Amino acid sequence: MTATGIITAIIVGAIIGALGRLVVPGRQAMPIWLTIVVGIAAALLGTVLAGALGVKETNGFDWIEFFIQVALAAIGVFLVAGAYGRRGSV
């Protein structure tokens, strides 16, 4: 992976993570760097899942793949924020 690919993955991950965080109701007790990591993982997993479903390559912007990525990011933010919040309350 090139430096441009890494920077692009971080930027896309940050956007996907932020959108996933916006979808989850309430306040999430997790740092922004963790949101970016969850977003990167969701973007990668969403791309793989979209490919498996046969909707990765569409004309124009890949809306279905994008919504899959945001949904996975929302699930990831929900799970990680819950685990991260419980860790601090012990």
Side-chain angles (χ1 to χ4, degrees):
M1 182 175 258
T2 64
T4 304
I6 294 170
I7 292 170
T8 303
I10 291 171
I11 292 170
V12 169
I15 293 168
I16 296 292
L19 290 172
R21 198 168 178 164
L22 285 174
V23 172
V24 176
R27 183 176 166 91
Q28 294 83 35
M30 60 189 282
I32 192 68
W33 67 265
L34 194 53
T35 302
I36 294 170
V37 170
V38 169
I40 292 170
L44 293 172
L45 186 62
T47 300
V48 171
L49 186 58
L53 294 173
V55 294
K56 184 178 179 202
E57 299 296 329
T58 58
N59 294 331
F61 187 76
D62 295 324
W63 286 105
I64 298 171
E65 179 181 0
F66 176 72
F67 287 128
I68 291 170
Q69 291 170 334
V70 171
L72 290 172
I75 293 167
V77 165
F78 179 76
L79 294 173
V80 171
Y84 195 83
R86 275 182 275 152
R87 183 185 70 115
S89 65
V90 174

